[in-house]
Amino acid sequence: MKIRIVVPLAIDVFNNIALDEALLFKAPDTDIEVVNLDGGYDRIDVYSNEKTITYTLPFIVDKVMEAEKEGCDGVFISWFGDPAVDASRVAVNIPVVGGFEPAVHMASLISTRWSIISPTPGTVSTFRMLARKHGLEENIASMLTVNVPLTDERGIEEKVLPLVEKAVDEDGAEAVVLGCTGFGRLASNLARQMKIKGKPITVINPSAAAIGFLESLIRSGLSQSRVTYPESLL
Amino acid sequence: MKIRIVVPLAIDVFNNIALDEALLFKAPDTDIEVVNLDGGYDRIDVYSNEKTITYTLPFIVDKVMEAEKEGCDGVFISWFGDPAVDASRVAVNIPVVGGFEPAVHMASLISTRWSIISPTPGTVSTFRMLARKHGLEENIASMLTVNVPLTDERGIEEKVLPLVEKAVDEDGAEAVVLGCTGFGRLASNLARQMKIKGKPITVINPSAAAIGFLESLIRSGLSQSRVTYPESLL
Amino acid sequence: MKIRIVVPLAIDVFNNIALDEALLFKAPDTDIEVVNLDGGYDRIDVYSNEKTITYTLPFIVDKVMEAEKEGCDGVFISWFGDPAVDASRVAVNIPVVGGFEPAVHMASLISTRWSIISPTPGTVSTFRMLARKHGLEENIASMLTVNVPLTDERGIEEKVLPLVEKAVDEDGAEAVVLGCTGFGRLASNLARQMKIKGKPITVINPSAAAIGFLESLIRSGLSQSRVTYPESLL
Amino acid sequence: MKIRIVVPLAIDVFNNIALDEALLFKAPDTDIEVVNLDGGYDRIDVYSNEKTITYTLPFIVDKVMEAEKEGCDGVFISWFGDPAVDASRVAVNIPVVGGFEPAVHMASLISTRWSIISPTPGTVSTFRMLARKHGLEENIASMLTVNVPLTDERGIEEKVLPLVEKAVDEDGAEAVVLGCTGFGRLASNLARQMKIKGKPITVINPSAAAIGFLESLIRSGLSQSRVTYPESLL
Amino acid sequence: MKIRIVVPLAIDVFNNIALDEALLFKAPDTDIEVVNLDGGYDRIDVYSNEKTITYTLPFIVDKVMEAEKEGCDGVFISWFGDPAVDASRVAVNIPVVGGFEPAVHMASLISTRWSIISPTPGTVSTFRMLARKHGLEENIASMLTVNVPLTDERGIEEKVLPLVEKAVDEDGAEAVVLGCTGFGRLASNLARQMKIKGKPITVINPSAAAIGFLESLIRSGLSQSRVTYPESLL
Amino acid sequence: MKIRIVVPLAIDVFNNIALDEALLFKAPDTDIEVVNLDGGYDRIDVYSNEKTITYTLPFIVDKVMEAEKEGCDGVFISWFGDPAVDASRVAVNIPVVGGFEPAVHMASLISTRWSIISPTPGTVSTFRMLARKHGLEENIASMLTVNVPLTDERGIEEKVLPLVEKAVDEDGAEAVVLGCTGFGRLASNLARQMKIKGKPITVINPSAAAIGFLESLIRSGLSQSRVTYPESLL
């Protein structure tokens, strides 16, 4: 099967990271491709608010339709806030997921309440609205933010661990969702460090959950509901 | 105060209807202006699905920002599904509303459960997701659809009344929200006919609710929360 | 249009405050009148519990019916806990609101979750039950209380600001509702001070929201649902 | 122990019915007394709406306080809509219940979802709001009404059985709550008839549930929470 | 009437405690018997997780069926997590309760939100799932754990009081449920100490609530719904 | 990777069906094994109620622990009602799923509301309680039952299709979950027939969803939360 990852930027600097990560978690018969947008932004911080994201949505839908035309079996829009996922599901017949939905459903299956740790305070209420939209708000233990530039690798790593610990110790989190596709690679290391501290906790990488859900849907011959997302005749 | 109505189409055929309706419900010191998009579609049926709507969102945000620059005090994006409302709230400081939120909050204030009657089945799950997003799903009595082309005036009028009756008789609706800014003008006539039938029911015109909410926010010096919709620095 | 404010006390010491506040927020064509009860209490602290409030309810309904008879277009029962609002809606055809419902619906429209700051701990669970009754409990970020006598003006002002800050910093509030019609006048000043601290937050004055909702309902020719609040034949 | 039943009318025509019913379900060491109000109405149909009920609330609180002064251990306000229950709980230290809360908690313990069958359509949204207030709305399967005058004994019996059957067959009810203290005596007969039809269903008499809850609270030395219902100092 | 208490262990060391406690709260015409399992464990700490509990469930159902055969009118499975309650309700016609359901319904009747204080962290998510299952999650103020061996009497008493205080002061608890049938005897003493501290709070003993509910069901001739818990033909 | 399917019966008549089905949906590098219980029942209809299921739970946990000891990477307990899933998750470190959770999370990802079609009315409230337990009740459109013996192949096929149609036409279902691992093989045929009728709908086979979730968890190195399901020390 062929899964295409759409990194919703006009630049390709994150493509290799996205590809390497997907290769770690995919099944042996899955081919992964990574593409960018034909328009939109060349800087990563635009994804911190709803206004700038909105200008990229048409380009994302274009790329999803292109993937279907070119024979892909499924598409992962690689950003945690699920940009253009609903519109893309209307536009194509192959299954489409973003980063949010697969991760929080995975978290809800293996635990009762979970926390999301994400890069900027500006996205907290967006993520809460997404959880509500999918009927999962009561499973939120807390929503925490790092508030470090996404480009500061070391800063992120140092800041996320104490938040994982706070989620477990103070907020009643039973699992942790990394709320940024750029954080995903930290998941296994964070889980290891928490185990050393005697506080074992499941940490979910949204990219791994997205690839897993797509593979499962594709193998079962399923896609998004045509009632929820009716076919566009235009 | 000056309120601008953005009709999210590239054509102006609905502008007069939107203006006339707003003039019926506005306060004496409110000036109303109606504008269209600089791009997007010239046909009304595009608003029946999430894919085509997505291509108009950037044009809507542009028009809302233009309204703020030109000194407007508030903006009503005149479509029931609240297209680009969240993004526009991030983009400007003046209050912005669509058709959905003011109507359902108004309905929830004057009743416990209400039904939405809208033009096409394709929007039902979108409206449910919107209600969830704003924490109001448990107030939904039912969601009914006419399934008549929006251009067939007479057909709409004949089909909506039986649905209002069904909502009241079978679904437990205590109020009815007309789920289309193009249906709004039917509200008072529907309420009158239901009263004649001995089944008095409040029927909410989303445009009237939208103008009312904007006037109230503007007079109170309020706007959308800067925590929910953080200012965009880009 | 003519809106009558019922201050639910037997004394008129708060009438001028209520009138002045309403004049700040009303539309130019709205006439405001303020009346008191023909019975009940002459001290303000009776409104801190459900027992004493209950003895005033019949007098409130009397005044609302009098307002309708004397040609008013709407009534605002000026106390945050919505005393006698349901009974009054049954008793008359003109729209009736209290302080709670308009404020929390306004807050829910401009934000996702909000905090209520009110005068006494004794009302916290009453307000939670009101929020539940109207289907809005999941939008509560926190409920905080000042615990200062309502007659101690300066004490109130000094104590409310830190609570607004706590609501934003610790409780995830995206807007703040002042849970007392007597606090309303602090709203704009609190918003200003929070902006100076670099933590801009929308602060809602329940009286302004109540007047705005009434004006909007009256202009639209709407009132409470006759299904939710069936006409009394006795 | 001594339990006093307050029948919230100015007449005593229902007292014997209330007493006889309580005697069927009480423990051997429980003494039951029945009293009426010192004011209010002499006709039963006033309890079909919130307006007329409101005028009786002060008289109910008076009687509850009198019961405490005269050494009663608990009070049952014998009307399904829980009139003045919250205010009475503030006013006294002994436990106070109405008809609604004990019945729906009993129903929720022995089943997952239940229907309420009550006399008039006018009370449906009141009961829904009560269920919400106590956090039990999701347990409602349906709310059905007989719409026969409460004075028409035979008419009631004939009309309730088909509604019990509808609740079970169509609405997914797993238990039935009789939503009127005047219906209670039908409970065991309805259960018997449903068993004969091969559709066994638990039918709850609100008076029996109320007496049972009071006895249990009194034996445990418990009463209403002083945090939820803080003591009135006035 | 005859109520049998099933202490779900293979040893009888807790039987006298269970009996003495029940005798404090039962009605004069209620006979109490206490039995153990024919298999399962001889140590109390096995009830701290779902795995070990599972091995005792068949023995519990056996004992409940034996109680019905031997003429008992109701059964209380004396452990807070309601082990085998659903299965037992299917297996017999007499009413069956555990420790959780009666206690949280009692708490929900006398307050709006309550906290559970239980012995081990390992049961917190089990109790949350139980609350959800019965539609009562929104009434949870907090879930606190002592983390002291159940055999350390003195340690428990010293550790529970500060948690009751925390629940009231920080978590908004309006009542407290002791989340262990072994804690029940502390209830009245905890309530007394909180009153001395000027923070009166209702503390619920799950065994007292269980006996009270059973007596009320038995006197009313009620049992678990045969729709929720359909009769087993095998 | 090696996944073991536990068919929770003492007989092996369904093992080949379970194996064949899993082979259809598994990844190429997944080995599937099917085992039975060492005790319990030799007839399939025991799974229609909670009592008989309870007697098999210890045997299921035993088999899950055996699977871990013998080097399996994950276990699928092949029955829709998730028997012993919670206990097994406590007992082992490898991921364990039943039929319910993966199917409803999959359904919630691709739609907003779904219906469950299951074999017997006796399991409806059990499934509702499971949905509540996992925070997914609001996503239920309806719960329908076939009421045909599980051994009557032809009868089942003929009865399920009209229920799928009812779910879509009347209940607002946007996807359908087959609520029985024995129904799974009908999924693709039902979807095909609904498409021919012009009502395309996604039909979910719980076994396919279970295998997919397990593969995804195993590839990500994840398992059930050790906070939700704390390790058993006994």
Side-chain angles (χ1 to χ4, degrees):
Chain A
M1 85 182 67
K2 195 164 68 172
I3 290 176
R4 188 168 287 179
I5 299 177
V6 176
V7 174
L9 289 168
I11 51 171
D12 65 2
V13 291
F14 295 101
N15 292 20
N16 280 342
I17 295 176
L19 181 61
D20 289 349
E21 201 164 49
L23 295 177
L24 285 178
F25 301 117
K26 75 175 195 63
D29 59 336
T30 302
D31 291 323
I32 305 281
E33 302 167 353
V34 185
V35 300
N36 299 108
L37 305 186
D38 293 336
Y41 301 92
D42 59 359
R43 44 191 293 188
I44 195 176
D45 53 359
V46 296
Y47 267 84
S48 58
N49 78 63
E50 286 289 312
K51 172 192 152 192
T52 41
I53 289 170
T54 296
Y55 285 91
T56 71
L57 302 180
F59 298 109
I60 298 175
V61 179
D62 284 346
K63 277 293 155 186
V64 173
M65 290 192 291
E66 187 181 278
E68 184 180 49
K69 264 186 222 125
E70 295 176 8
C72 293
D73 299 295
V75 176
F76 167 35
I77 299 171
S78 178
W79 216 272
F80 191 67
D82 287 357
V85 166
D86 286 351
S88 298
R89 285 177 173 174
V90 166
V92 299
N93 286 310
I94 55 173
V96 181
V97 301
F100 185 85
E101 277 184 285
V104 297
H105 278 292
M106 187 68 87
S108 298
L109 184 121
I110 58 161
S111 73
T112 306
R113 301 205 308 160
W114 31 264
S115 292
I116 295 176
I117 301 179
S118 57
T120 64
T123 52
V124 166
S125 64
T126 301
F127 295 159
R128 178 172 296 278
M129 284 191 257
L130 270 176
R132 285 186 171 190
K133 198 172 126 182
H134 297 292
L136 288 168
E137 189 185 23
E138 67 178 313
N139 293 358
I140 301 174
S142 63
M143 308 188 80
L144 306 171
T145 49
V146 179
N147 219 359
V148 162
L150 267 179
T151 44
D152 176 4
E153 283 271 333
R154 180 174 297 266
I156 290 170
E157 292 202 42
E158 275 167 14
K159 288 225 175 167
V160 172
L161 182 62
L163 291 184
V164 173
E165 220 173 332
K166 176 191 179 309
V168 173
D169 289 345
E170 296 174 26
D171 304 337
E174 303 170 5
V176 167
V177 174
L178 295 179
C180 176
T181 47
F183 283 10
R185 66 192 182 287
L186 306 176
S188 54
N189 192 33
L190 288 167
R192 193 166 37 241
Q193 292 190 49
M194 287 298 288
K195 202 170 187 180
I196 293 170
K197 285 172 181 278
K199 301 172 182 174
I201 189 79
T202 307
V203 183
I204 289 174
N205 175 343
S207 300
I211 298 295
F213 257 98
L214 278 178
E215 289 179 342
S216 178
L217 288 167
I218 294 165
R219 284 192 212 286
S220 307
L222 300 179
S223 191
Q224 43 270 357
S225 161
R226 266 287 167 255
V227 183
T228 314
Y229 306 99
E231 196 172 2
S232 173
L233 303 174
L234 300 166
Chain B
M1 86 183 67
K2 195 162 68 173
I3 289 175
R4 188 168 289 179
I5 299 177
V6 175
V7 174
L9 288 168
I11 50 171
D12 65 2
V13 292
F14 294 100
N15 292 19
N16 280 343
I17 295 176
L19 181 61
D20 289 350
E21 200 165 50
L23 295 177
L24 284 177
F25 300 117
K26 74 175 196 64
D29 58 336
T30 303
D31 291 324
I32 305 281
E33 303 168 352
V34 184
V35 299
N36 298 109
L37 304 187
D38 293 336
Y41 301 92
D42 59 0
R43 44 191 293 187
I44 194 176
D45 54 0
V46 295
Y47 267 86
S48 59
N49 77 64
E50 287 289 312
K51 173 193 151 190
T52 41
I53 289 170
T54 296
Y55 286 90
T56 71
L57 300 180
F59 298 109
I60 298 176
V61 179
D62 284 346
K63 278 292 157 185
V64 172
M65 289 193 292
E66 185 181 279
E68 184 180 49
K69 264 186 222 126
E70 295 177 6
C72 294
D73 299 295
V75 175
F76 168 34
I77 298 171
S78 178
W79 217 274
F80 191 67
D82 289 356
V85 165
D86 287 351
S88 299
R89 285 177 173 174
V90 165
V92 300
N93 286 309
I94 55 174
V96 181
V97 300
F100 186 85
E101 278 184 283
V104 298
H105 278 292
M106 187 69 87
S108 297
L109 184 120
I110 58 163
S111 73
T112 305
R113 299 207 309 160
W114 32 264
S115 291
I116 295 176
I117 301 178
S118 57
T120 64
T123 52
V124 165
S125 64
T126 302
F127 295 160
R128 178 172 297 277
M129 284 192 258
L130 270 176
R132 284 186 171 189
K133 198 174 126 182
H134 297 292
L136 288 167
E137 189 186 23
E138 68 179 312
N139 293 357
I140 300 175
S142 62
M143 308 188 79
L144 306 171
T145 50
V146 180
N147 219 357
V148 162
L150 266 179
T151 46
D152 176 4
E153 283 269 335
R154 180 172 298 267
I156 290 170
E157 291 203 41
E158 274 167 14
K159 289 224 172 167
V160 172
L161 183 61
L163 291 184
V164 174
E165 220 172 332
K166 177 192 179 306
V168 173
D169 289 346
E170 297 173 26
D171 304 337
E174 303 171 6
V176 167
V177 173
L178 295 179
C180 176
T181 48
F183 283 10
R185 65 190 183 287
L186 306 175
S188 54
N189 192 32
L190 288 166
R192 190 164 41 241
Q193 292 190 50
M194 287 297 288
K195 202 170 188 178
I196 292 170
K197 285 171 182 278
K199 301 172 183 175
I201 189 79
T202 306
V203 183
I204 289 174
N205 175 342
S207 300
I211 298 294
F213 255 98
L214 278 178
E215 289 179 342
S216 177
L217 287 169
I218 294 166
R219 284 192 211 288
S220 309
L222 299 180
S223 191
Q224 44 269 358
S225 160
R226 267 286 167 253
V227 183
T228 315
Y229 305 100
E231 196 172 3
S232 172
L233 302 176
L234 298 166
Chain C
M1 85 181 67
K2 194 162 68 171
I3 289 175
R4 187 168 289 180
I5 299 177
V6 176
V7 175
L9 287 169
I11 50 170
D12 65 2
V13 293
F14 295 99
N15 292 21
N16 280 342
I17 295 176
L19 181 61
D20 289 350
E21 200 165 48
L23 295 177
L24 285 178
F25 300 117
K26 74 177 195 64
D29 59 337
T30 303
D31 292 323
I32 305 282
E33 301 167 355
V34 184
V35 300
N36 299 106
L37 305 186
D38 293 337
Y41 301 91
D42 59 359
R43 42 191 294 188
I44 194 177
D45 53 0
V46 296
Y47 267 85
S48 57
N49 78 63
E50 286 288 311
K51 173 193 150 190
T52 41
I53 290 170
T54 295
Y55 285 91
T56 71
L57 302 180
F59 299 109
I60 298 176
V61 180
D62 284 346
K63 278 293 156 187
V64 173
M65 290 194 292
E66 187 181 278
E68 185 181 48
K69 265 187 221 124
E70 295 177 6
C72 293
D73 298 295
V75 176
F76 167 34
I77 299 171
S78 177
W79 216 272
F80 191 67
D82 287 357
V85 165
D86 286 351
S88 299
R89 285 177 173 175
V90 166
V92 300
N93 287 309
I94 55 173
V96 181
V97 299
F100 185 85
E101 277 184 284
V104 297
H105 278 293
M106 187 70 86
S108 297
L109 184 121
I110 59 163
S111 74
T112 306
R113 299 207 310 161
W114 32 264
S115 291
I116 296 177
I117 300 178
S118 57
T120 65
T123 52
V124 165
S125 65
T126 302
F127 295 159
R128 178 172 297 276
M129 284 192 257
L130 271 175
R132 284 186 173 190
K133 197 172 127 183
H134 297 293
L136 289 167
E137 189 186 24
E138 67 179 312
N139 293 357
I140 300 175
S142 62
M143 309 188 78
L144 306 172
T145 49
V146 179
N147 218 359
V148 163
L150 267 178
T151 44
D152 175 5
E153 284 270 334
R154 181 174 297 268
I156 291 169
E157 293 202 41
E158 274 168 14
K159 289 224 173 168
V160 172
L161 183 61
L163 290 184
V164 173
E165 219 172 333
K166 177 191 179 308
V168 173
D169 288 346
E170 297 173 27
D171 305 336
E174 302 171 6
V176 168
V177 174
L178 295 179
C180 176
T181 47
F183 283 9
R185 67 191 182 286
L186 307 176
S188 55
N189 192 34
L190 288 166
R192 191 165 40 240
Q193 291 190 50
M194 288 297 288
K195 201 168 189 182
I196 292 170
K197 285 170 181 281
K199 301 172 183 175
I201 189 80
T202 307
V203 183
I204 289 175
N205 175 344
S207 301
I211 298 295
F213 256 98
L214 278 178
E215 289 178 343
S216 178
L217 287 168
I218 294 166
R219 284 192 212 287
S220 309
L222 300 179
S223 192
Q224 43 269 358
S225 160
R226 267 287 167 254
V227 183
T228 315
Y229 306 99
E231 195 172 4
S232 172
L233 303 175
L234 299 166
Chain D
M1 84 182 68
K2 196 163 67 171
I3 289 177
R4 188 168 286 179
I5 299 178
V6 176
V7 174
L9 288 168
I11 51 171
D12 65 2
V13 294
F14 294 101
N15 292 20
N16 281 342
I17 295 176
L19 180 61
D20 288 350
E21 201 166 49
L23 295 177
L24 285 177
F25 300 117
K26 75 175 196 62
D29 59 335
T30 303
D31 292 323
I32 305 282
E33 302 168 354
V34 185
V35 299
N36 298 108
L37 305 186
D38 293 336
Y41 301 92
D42 59 1
R43 42 191 296 187
I44 194 176
D45 54 359
V46 297
Y47 267 85
S48 59
N49 77 63
E50 286 288 313
K51 172 193 153 192
T52 42
I53 289 170
T54 296
Y55 285 92
T56 72
L57 302 180
F59 298 110
I60 298 175
V61 179
D62 283 347
K63 279 294 157 186
V64 173
M65 289 193 292
E66 187 180 278
E68 185 181 47
K69 266 186 219 124
E70 294 176 7
C72 293
D73 298 296
V75 176
F76 168 33
I77 299 170
S78 177
W79 217 273
F80 191 68
D82 288 357
V85 165
D86 287 351
S88 299
R89 285 178 172 172
V90 165
V92 299
N93 286 309
I94 56 173
V96 181
V97 302
F100 185 85
E101 277 183 286
V104 298
H105 279 292
M106 188 70 87
S108 298
L109 184 121
I110 59 163
S111 74
T112 306
R113 299 206 311 161
W114 33 264
S115 291
I116 295 176
I117 301 179
S118 56
T120 64
T123 52
V124 165
S125 64
T126 301
F127 295 158
R128 178 172 296 279
M129 284 192 258
L130 271 176
R132 284 186 172 189
K133 198 173 126 182
H134 297 292
L136 289 166
E137 189 185 25
E138 67 179 312
N139 293 357
I140 300 174
S142 63
M143 308 188 79
L144 306 170
T145 50
V146 180
N147 218 359
V148 162
L150 266 180
T151 46
D152 175 5
E153 284 269 333
R154 182 173 298 267
I156 290 169
E157 291 202 42
E158 275 167 14
K159 289 225 174 166
V160 172
L161 183 62
L163 291 184
V164 173
E165 221 173 332
K166 178 192 179 306
V168 173
D169 288 346
E170 296 173 28
D171 305 337
E174 303 170 6
V176 168
V177 174
L178 295 179
C180 176
T181 49
F183 282 11
R185 65 191 182 289
L186 307 176
S188 54
N189 193 34
L190 288 166
R192 193 165 37 242
Q193 291 190 51
M194 288 297 288
K195 201 168 188 181
I196 293 170
K197 284 171 183 279
K199 300 173 183 174
I201 189 81
T202 306
V203 183
I204 289 173
N205 174 343
S207 300
I211 298 294
F213 256 99
L214 278 179
E215 289 179 342
S216 178
L217 287 168
I218 294 166
R219 284 192 212 286
S220 309
L222 300 179
S223 191
Q224 42 272 358
S225 160
R226 268 285 167 256
V227 182
T228 315
Y229 305 100
E231 197 173 2
S232 172
L233 302 174
L234 298 167
Chain E
M1 87 181 66
K2 196 163 67 172
I3 289 175
R4 188 168 287 178
I5 300 178
V6 177
V7 175
L9 288 169
I11 50 170
D12 64 3
V13 293
F14 295 100
N15 292 21
N16 281 341
I17 295 176
L19 180 62
D20 289 349
E21 200 165 49
L23 295 178
L24 285 177
F25 301 118
K26 75 176 195 63
D29 59 336
T30 303
D31 291 323
I32 304 282
E33 302 168 354
V34 185
V35 300
N36 298 108
L37 305 186
D38 292 338
Y41 302 92
D42 59 359
R43 43 190 295 186
I44 194 176
D45 53 359
V46 295
Y47 267 86
S48 58
N49 79 62
E50 287 288 311
K51 173 193 152 192
T52 42
I53 289 170
T54 295
Y55 285 90
T56 71
L57 302 180
F59 299 109
I60 298 176
V61 179
D62 283 345
K63 279 292 156 185
V64 172
M65 290 193 292
E66 186 182 278
E68 184 179 48
K69 266 185 220 127
E70 295 177 6
C72 293
D73 298 295
V75 175
F76 167 35
I77 299 170
S78 177
W79 217 273
F80 192 67
D82 288 358
V85 165
D86 287 352
S88 299
R89 286 177 173 174
V90 165
V92 298
N93 286 310
I94 55 174
V96 181
V97 302
F100 185 85
E101 278 183 286
V104 298
H105 278 293
M106 187 69 87
S108 297
L109 184 122
I110 58 164
S111 74
T112 305
R113 299 207 310 162
W114 32 264
S115 291
I116 295 177
I117 300 178
S118 56
T120 64
T123 53
V124 165
S125 65
T126 301
F127 296 159
R128 177 172 298 277
M129 285 192 257
L130 270 176
R132 284 186 171 189
K133 197 174 129 183
H134 297 291
L136 289 167
E137 189 185 23
E138 68 179 311
N139 294 358
I140 300 175
S142 63
M143 308 187 80
L144 306 171
T145 50
V146 180
N147 219 358
V148 163
L150 266 179
T151 44
D152 175 4
E153 283 271 333
R154 182 174 295 270
I156 289 169
E157 291 202 43
E158 274 168 14
K159 287 225 175 167
V160 173
L161 182 62
L163 290 184
V164 174
E165 219 172 332
K166 177 191 178 308
V168 173
D169 289 345
E170 295 173 27
D171 305 336
E174 302 171 6
V176 168
V177 174
L178 295 179
C180 177
T181 48
F183 284 9
R185 64 191 185 286
L186 306 176
S188 54
N189 193 34
L190 288 166
R192 193 166 38 242
Q193 292 190 49
M194 287 297 287
K195 202 169 187 179
I196 292 170
K197 285 172 181 280
K199 300 173 183 173
I201 189 81
T202 306
V203 183
I204 289 174
N205 175 343
S207 300
I211 298 295
F213 255 98
L214 278 179
E215 289 180 341
S216 178
L217 287 167
I218 294 166
R219 285 191 210 287
S220 308
L222 300 179
S223 192
Q224 43 271 357
S225 160
R226 266 286 166 256
V227 183
T228 314
Y229 306 99
E231 197 171 3
S232 173
L233 303 174
L234 299 167
Chain F
M1 83 182 70
K2 193 163 67 171
I3 289 176
R4 188 169 287 180
I5 299 178
V6 176
V7 174
L9 288 168
I11 50 171
D12 65 1
V13 293
F14 295 101
N15 292 19
N16 280 342
I17 295 176
L19 180 62
D20 289 349
E21 201 165 50
L23 295 177
L24 285 177
F25 301 118
K26 74 174 196 64
D29 58 337
T30 303
D31 292 323
I32 305 281
E33 303 167 354
V34 185
V35 300
N36 298 109
L37 305 186
D38 293 337
Y41 302 92
D42 59 359
R43 43 191 294 187
I44 193 176
D45 52 1
V46 297
Y47 267 86
S48 58
N49 76 63
E50 286 288 314
K51 173 192 151 192
T52 40
I53 291 170
T54 296
Y55 286 91
T56 71
L57 302 180
F59 298 109
I60 299 175
V61 179
D62 284 346
K63 277 294 158 187
V64 173
M65 290 192 293
E66 186 181 279
E68 185 180 48
K69 264 186 220 125
E70 295 177 6
C72 293
D73 299 295
V75 176
F76 167 34
I77 299 170
S78 177
W79 217 273
F80 192 66
D82 287 357
V85 166
D86 287 351
S88 299
R89 287 178 172 172
V90 166
V92 299
N93 286 310
I94 55 174
V96 181
V97 302
F100 186 86
E101 278 183 284
V104 298
H105 279 292
M106 186 70 87
S108 298
L109 184 121
I110 59 162
S111 73
T112 306
R113 298 204 313 159
W114 32 264
S115 292
I116 295 176
I117 300 180
S118 56
T120 65
T123 51
V124 166
S125 64
T126 301
F127 296 160
R128 178 173 297 278
M129 284 191 260
L130 271 175
R132 284 187 172 188
K133 198 172 126 183
H134 297 292
L136 288 167
E137 189 184 25
E138 68 179 310
N139 292 359
I140 300 174
S142 62
M143 307 187 79
L144 306 171
T145 52
V146 180
N147 219 359
V148 161
L150 266 179
T151 46
D152 176 4
E153 283 271 332
R154 179 174 298 268
I156 289 170
E157 292 203 40
E158 275 167 15
K159 288 224 173 166
V160 172
L161 182 62
L163 290 184
V164 173
E165 221 172 332
K166 178 192 179 306
V168 173
D169 289 346
E170 297 173 27
D171 304 337
E174 303 170 7
V176 168
V177 174
L178 295 178
C180 177
T181 47
F183 282 11
R185 64 192 183 286
L186 308 175
S188 55
N189 192 34
L190 288 166
R192 191 164 40 241
Q193 292 190 50
M194 288 297 289
K195 201 169 187 179
I196 293 170
K197 285 171 182 278
K199 300 172 184 174
I201 189 79
T202 307
V203 183
I204 289 174
N205 175 344
S207 300
I211 298 295
F213 256 99
L214 278 179
E215 289 179 342
S216 178
L217 287 168
I218 294 166
R219 285 192 211 288
S220 308
L222 299 180
S223 191
Q224 43 270 356
S225 161
R226 267 285 167 257
V227 183
T228 314
Y229 307 99
E231 196 172 3
S232 172
L233 303 175
L234 299 165

